[in-house]
Amino acid sequence: MTETASKEAAIRETTTRDTANHYLNRDLSWVEFNWRVLEEAQDPATPLLERAKFLAIVSSNFDEFMSVRVAGIKDQMKAGYTKKDFTGYTPAGLFKRIMKRSEKMVVEQYRTYREILRMLAKEGIHLTEYNDLSATQRRAMDEYYHDIIFPVLTPMAVDQARPFPLVHTQSVYLAVVLRKDGDDPEDDPYFAILQVPSNLTRYIELPGRVNSKKQEYILIEELIEQHIQTLFSGYKAVSVHSFRLTRNADLTLNEEGAEDLLEEIENQLRRRRWGAPVRLEVQKGIHPYALKQLTEEFEITDNTFEIDGPIDLTYMMRLAGHLRGYDHLRYKPIQSVYPAELQDIEDLFGKLRQRDVLVYHPYESFDAVTDFICQAAYDPQVLAIKMTLYRVSGNSPLIQALARAAESGKQVTVVVELKARFDEERNIAWARKLEQSGCHVVYGLIGLKTHAKITLVVRQESDGLRRYVHVGTGNYNDNTAKLYTDVGLFTSHKIIGEDASALFNEVTGFSAPHNWKAFGVAPTDLMEKLCEKVEREAEFAAQGKPARIIAKLNSLSNQQMVDVLYKASQAGVKIDLIVRGVCCLRPGVPGLSDNITVRSIVDRFLEHSRIFYFENGGTPEIYIASADWMTRNLTRRVELMCPVFDKQIQASLINILQLSLDDNVKARQLQPNGLYERICAKDDEPQLRSQFEAMRISSWKTTAHEA
């Protein structure tokens, strides 16, 4: 290499390194998000059983992160990929940072677990060890083991004649090291594994003690360990320790070559059980021989976690929900109200002809959405119903209504997203049921997930056909609508209705990309429209006109979106981002992002709504959307951004955004170094907790008089 070429290469390397400092890494940002969830489990102000739930969520989040994101990084490392991403990390360097931060979090997670157990004990709820059982309790548990657990267990020896059996992903197993009397201590011991039955309850309630009001439980794996000798007669168990394997859970679909996508996904789900090992969790103190057997079999040396406590704390979610009589340790039940605009309305369509209606879940009931679909299903004037389904609840009334509509002769088209990760099996079941009822079931476009949330109802009326539309930021799931914050818009606006028809035609047929009058649709033009609106704010700022952006979303990781926001900030646009999870933008950097703030709210409900506000020189535009500002949402999914034209609803959405910006209890602000700091109320200002404030409907919903 010549001297000139060497200098140019050095300049490129320096430029890349300096530019990389402008961004936070997506995966490390996600780890920081899970830290914020863990902080909720640690917060003394959070009710105790809710703290237990947050702890379970930390475990569940980690499971998905390891099985998808870390699995992808390990695939890159295995393939020898060494190129740096736009945040400056090679796969190997990123993996090392993730492991270091994750190991620290796991230690803190189990310290929190022990603290929560101590506090539960003070409330009379005990997780008891077998050796501490009373005689009566021990007899009851011995009987339970022999009658219920023992018949289900299958010990699996590992030796030359019996190769290592299949270990299912995220199932708890016991690793058993055995010896026979008279064995040479220098010889290798015997080894076997045993799956802890996942179809039996993880925690077993103990009989009450005499004159005691304590509620006591024992974990099933401890009961099995205490009776391990019943499974290996003639051998002595030297050690029994639990372990759990996490496998790569990402599906690799051949959509082009699949004659039946539903069948292809079913096949892939079966193959998921054989996904490459990604993470190994082992109980602290595991026998060295057992650890050697596991790490060699799974070929894992760089991602093994030694767990000081029960492996897989997701059981805490079920335990917290199972306990009765401890309402003082929970959040008070939320009383979702039916939207005032739709109360006592027999003709919902008549109301929507008069004005648009906004619903804000979970503060307002999802029943409004269910009623919209049900009324459409039974209304003889309704000719067609078209709907997207991404994640549906286990016993969804919407499915029943759609089936009823099809059976009564209506044209019912349902776009079912079979590739919704970890909900594939449930969606396959719903797809089959809908098809049997006569619905037209479509699985979307090849290579793209359909993530848009929209329903179109076509109705014959006296003056012709009219379209009614519901557009939401969340899934059509009545269960998660009680746990997630989402907004939904009911409208009969002509332009939105026309775009809705065009969208379904594009997804279900061969229509060319539409010239959208209202919608922004990914992957065709949503990115372009968002960038144009951000750049327009920059132009207004340069002209001295009102310029501001407020965006509420779950994640921001697309480099192009980050860069266009940086440019707007440099032009003087005030930008407030409310990003619950991943954020690759580094706010508050002099000369780069001085005018940008980023805050995250982690509280009782999962913040899930996507709301975008653009000042537009004094004529504000407001949108709701299904899409986060991530590359996958903007380029690899069918996503939808819908404008809100109604001034009163615009004002209500602004109030929702302002509540989040004013939160000084559960909000945390992202610092330039990538860490988050709590936003605390000043001495002279009252505390404002946005989710609790939103429960008081008048605090966010603008009345017609106010508008």
Side-chain angles (χ1 to χ4, degrees), residues 26 63-73 75 169-170 246-253 268-269 271-276 278 419-422 424 449 632 636-637:
R26 167 184 170 168
D63 286 348
E64 182 172 350
F65 179 65
M66 289 289 171
S67 64
V68 179
R69 295 299 305 174
V70 174
I73 295 169
D75 283 346
T169 186
Q170 294 175 9
T246 300
R247 295 182 180 273
N248 187 328
D250 231 7
L251 298 183
T252 304
L253 295 173
Q268 285 292 337
L269 286 174
R271 293 184 199 124
R272 182 181 272 171
R273 288 181 268 174
W274 286 273
V278 175
K419 303 184 292 294
R421 187 180 290 133
F422 304 122
E424 299 96 343
K449 284 186 179 180
R632 72 180 187 194
R636 299 195 298 274
R637 290 185 173 186

Side-chain angles (χ1 to χ4, degrees), residues 371-387:
D371 290 348
F372 174 69
I373 305 297
C374 289
Q375 185 166 331
Y378 286 91
D379 188 335
Q381 292 178 253
V382 169
L383 304 179
I385 303 172
K386 301 183 181 185
M387 187 176 187

Side-chain angles (χ1 to χ4, degrees), residues 443-462:
Y443 303 134
L445 300 171
I446 289 177
L448 301 174
K449 284 186 179 180
T450 303
H451 193 248
K453 293 88 168 63
I454 182 170
T455 300
L456 169 65
V457 173
V458 181
R459 191 170 187 265
Q460 179 69 59
E461 300 184 352
S462 58

Side-chain angles (χ1 to χ4, degrees), residues 530-541 546-553 556 561 564-569 571-578 595-598 611-617 621 623 629 657 661:
L530 285 170
C531 289
E532 286 176 355
K533 294 181 187 307
V534 174
E535 289 166 350
R536 183 186 61 188
E537 295 300 313
E539 292 172 3
F540 281 130
R548 190 182 184 193
I549 298 170
I550 309 173
K552 185 178 187 300
L553 55 160
L556 168 59
M561 288 304 305
V564 75
L565 289 169
Y566 282 155
K567 290 179 180 178
S569 171
V573 180
K574 178 174 170 50
I575 303 170
D576 290 305
L577 304 176
I578 307 157
N595 294 309
I596 304 177
T597 66
V598 178
I611 306 169
F612 312 143
Y613 171 93
F614 300 96
E615 184 73 27
N616 191 31
E621 291 182 351
Y623 299 82
W629 293 354
L657 293 173
L661 294 176

Side-chain angles (χ1 to χ4, degrees), residues 20-292:
N21 289 334
H22 293 172
Y23 310 100
L24 300 170
N25 180 269
R26 167 184 170 168
D27 295 301
L28 293 175
S29 180
W30 181 92
V31 174
E32 293 306 314
F33 161 66
N34 216 27
W35 269 104
R36 298 196 290 281
V37 179
L38 180 56
E39 287 175 0
E40 292 304 300
Q42 297 172 330
D43 190 344
T46 302
L48 186 55
L49 290 179
E50 306 296 341
R51 291 175 63 181
K53 289 181 180 180
F54 276 115
L55 197 63
I57 292 170
V58 172
S59 290
S60 177
N61 286 349
F62 248 133
D63 286 348
E64 182 172 350
F65 179 65
M66 289 289 171
S67 64
V68 179
R69 295 299 305 174
V70 174
I73 295 169
K74 293 198 75 172
D75 283 346
Q76 290 180 328
M77 293 165 60
K78 189 175 181 180
Y81 189 80
T82 58
K83 185 178 178 180
K84 291 182 179 180
D85 63 17
F86 74 93
T87 66
Y89 281 96
T90 63
L94 177 58
F95 179 80
K96 187 176 180 180
R97 281 291 303 275
I98 289 173
M99 286 305 101
K100 184 176 180 180
R101 193 72 173 137
S102 297
E103 287 167 3
K104 184 177 179 181
M105 187 186 299
V106 169
V107 171
E108 189 66 13
Q109 180 187 6
Y110 277 85
R111 185 197 66 77
T112 306
Y113 171 74
R114 290 187 289 275
E115 178 186 344
I116 290 175
L117 286 188
R118 286 193 295 270
M119 298 187 71
L120 286 172
K122 292 179 180 179
E123 297 288 343
I125 304 165
H126 296 258
L127 196 64
T128 306
E129 295 182 1
Y130 185 84
N131 291 334
D132 294 331
L133 301 183
S134 68
T136 301
Q137 290 174 326
R138 189 169 298 192
R139 282 194 298 270
M141 288 302 98
D142 291 347
E143 184 177 327
Y144 182 89
Y145 171 80
H146 287 290
D147 293 349
I148 306 296
I149 302 175
F150 178 77
V152 182
L153 300 177
T154 304
M156 293 174 285
V158 179
D159 55 26
Q160 290 181 337
R162 290 166 289 193
F164 215 103
L166 173 68
V167 172
H168 295 286
T169 186
Q170 294 175 9
S171 290
V172 178
Y173 287 77
L174 296 180
V176 187
V177 177
L178 303 149
R179 285 197 180 275
K180 281 184 176 179
D181 289 337
D183 281 351
D184 186 340
E186 298 300 319
D187 291 343
D188 285 342
Y190 299 93
F191 181 68
I193 68 171
L194 179 69
Q195 184 175 10
V196 176
S198 58
N199 54 355
L200 296 179
T201 182
R202 180 84 184 274
Y203 50 88
I204 304 161
E205 188 167 1
L206 296 166
R209 298 176 191 260
V210 177
N211 298 324
S212 174
K213 294 182 180 180
K214 292 194 301 185
Q215 280 191 246
E216 296 182 82
Y217 298 86
I218 188 170
L219 292 180
I220 188 173
E221 60 262 36
E222 181 165 358
L223 207 51
I224 297 171
E225 180 182 349
Q226 292 298 324
H227 295 84
I228 199 70
Q229 214 59 46
T230 62
L231 298 162
F232 300 100
S233 59
Y235 294 81
K236 180 182 179 181
V238 177
S239 77
V240 183
H241 290 85
S242 58
F243 73 92
R244 190 170 76 131
L245 182 70
T246 300
R247 295 182 180 273
N248 187 328
D250 231 7
L251 298 183
T252 304
L253 295 173
N254 178 19
E255 294 186 52
E256 292 279 2
E259 292 185 14
D260 187 331
L261 182 60
L262 186 146
E263 185 177 334
E264 170 70 9
I265 289 179
E266 286 181 320
N267 292 334
Q268 285 292 337
L269 286 174
R270 286 190 284 271
R271 293 184 199 124
R272 182 181 272 171
R273 288 181 268 174
W274 286 273
V278 175
R279 172 186 62 168
L280 177 63
E281 297 166 279
V282 298
Q283 190 177 0
K284 185 177 181 180
I286 189 170
H287 194 285
Y289 185 75
L291 182 59
K292 178 174 178 288

Side-chain angles (χ1 to χ4, degrees), residues 683-700:
D683 293 338
D684 58 344
E685 69 177 355
Q687 289 190 337
L688 189 145
R689 189 171 177 176
S690 57
Q691 291 189 358
F692 282 37
E693 188 71 12
M695 291 184 198
R696 301 189 305 109
I697 296 301
S698 61
S699 67
W700 65 269

